[in-house]
């Protein structure tokens, strides 16, 4: 079972995904908790490159997918094969939202890279933690240092949010949209209710 969390900045994904991992582990499920960009040694090194400086738009998309392929090959696929539940903080939907909708990148390139680099590994369920960018960015800024993407403007983050919502509307079988503006307890309860029934969480 491959579960991803998606959403804009300051939606609380990282905190909630840790809590979800602990919840499933306490119920005896083997869990791999991982993130993108990153999640394996090479992909974490690529994350540092991606966050440290601006890139040519196509180079940036290729770097995200290079990191993703490495992550899938070395961490996600082996964990799935071993029967673990894989919980991943961001995946390919983030590249569509940030690099294509946000930065004006090439949608056909995204489609092609999904086909070329993932060997069919794709989330079974995606929980979209949705929050207005004004609220999310304010939370991210109070949290401390902001990364290169967080410092982009409200127009960028509004396009990112709309893209995630459009993806959710286009794939209602895979996505569940959760209002991340609620308190953390309500968000977590909504996440549990949105998991596939096989997880019995
Ligand atoms: P994080 O803050 O959720 O760990 O993610 C790091 C940043 O990387 C975040 O601002 C979103 C951005 N990002 C992309 O632009 N494209 C991607 O494909 C992924 C996975 C993340």
């Amino acid at each position: 079972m491959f579960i991803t969390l998606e959403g804009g900045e300051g939606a609380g994904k990282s905190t909630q995904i840790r809590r979800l991992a602990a919840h499933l582990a306490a119920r005896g499920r083997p869990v791999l908790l991982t993130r993108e960009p990153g999640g394996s040694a090479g992909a974490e090194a690529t994350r540092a490159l991606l966050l440290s400086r601006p890139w040519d738009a196509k180079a940036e998309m290729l770097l995200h997918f290079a990191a993703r392929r490495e992550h899938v090959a070395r961490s996600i696929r082996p964990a799935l094969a071993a029967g673990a539940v894989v919980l991943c903080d961001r995946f390919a939907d983030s590249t569509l939202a940030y690099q294509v909708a946000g930065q004006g990148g090439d949608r056909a390139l995204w489609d092609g890279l999904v086909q070329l680099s993932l060997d069919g590994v794709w989330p079974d369920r995606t929980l979209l933690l949705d929050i207005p960018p004004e609220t999310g960015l304010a939370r991210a800024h109070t949290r401390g240092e902001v990364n290169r993407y967080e410092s982009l403007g409200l127009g960028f983050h509004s396009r990112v949010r709309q893209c995630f919502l459009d993806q959710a509307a286009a794939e209602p079988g895979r996505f569940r949209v959760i209002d991340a503006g609620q308190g953390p307890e309500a968000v977590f309860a909504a996440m549990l209710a949105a998991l596939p029934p096989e997880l019995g969480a």
Side-chain angles (χ1 to χ4, degrees):
M1 185 75 63
F2 181 23
I3 312 244
T4 56
L5 253 71
E6 294 283 6
E9 309 298 336
K13 286 182 294 87
S14 310
T15 310
Q16 294 288 357
I17 203 170
R18 277 198 298 273
R19 190 167 170 190
L20 182 56
H23 177 92
L24 294 174
R27 278 153 189 78
R29 292 262 174 193
V31 174
L32 172 70
L33 172 58
T34 187
R35 69 166 182 181
E36 292 206 340
S40 65
E44 287 289 336
T46 312
R47 176 189 178 96
L49 284 176
L50 275 161
L51 294 181
S52 65
R53 47 151 296 149
W55 293 89
D56 163 80
K58 277 189 182 163
E60 185 161 336
M61 193 148 19
L62 291 167
L63 280 172
H64 274 291
F65 272 94
R68 183 161 298 129
R69 175 162 179 100
E70 182 74 10
H71 182 207
V72 165
R74 301 210 188 260
S75 304
I76 296 178
R77 187 192 288 285
L80 291 173
V85 178
V86 174
L87 297 178
C88 190
D89 188 345
R90 299 192 181 280
F91 195 63
D93 297 306
S94 274
T95 314
L96 190 60
Y98 280 74
Q99 277 65 53
V100 178
Q103 295 179 308
D106 183 348
R107 167 71 201 241
L109 179 60
W110 182 87
D111 286 328
L113 289 169
V114 167
Q115 294 306 319
L116 190 80
S117 62
L118 302 182
D119 298 336
V121 171
W122 197 246
D124 299 296
R125 173 62 38 93
T126 297
L127 308 181
L128 172 58
L129 268 57
D130 177 57
I131 193 161
E134 295 86 342
T135 317
L137 286 173
R139 280 190 192 171
H141 281 85
T142 52
R143 203 170 56 195
E145 214 173 288
V146 293
N147 74 35
R148 182 163 81 77
Y149 296 109
E150 285 165 337
S151 64
L152 297 174
L154 198 54
F156 172 86
H157 290 285
S158 300
R159 292 194 295 283
V160 167
R161 181 195 193 190
Q162 192 55 51
C163 178
F164 279 132
L165 290 171
D166 291 347
Q167 287 167 264
E171 276 187 79
R174 172 163 71 95
F175 275 89
R176 296 290 180 273
V177 181
I178 290 163
D179 174 6
Q182 317 170 76
E185 294 304 323
V187 171
F188 188 64
M191 285 170 57
L192 290 184
L195 292 177
E198 302 91 291
L199 279 183

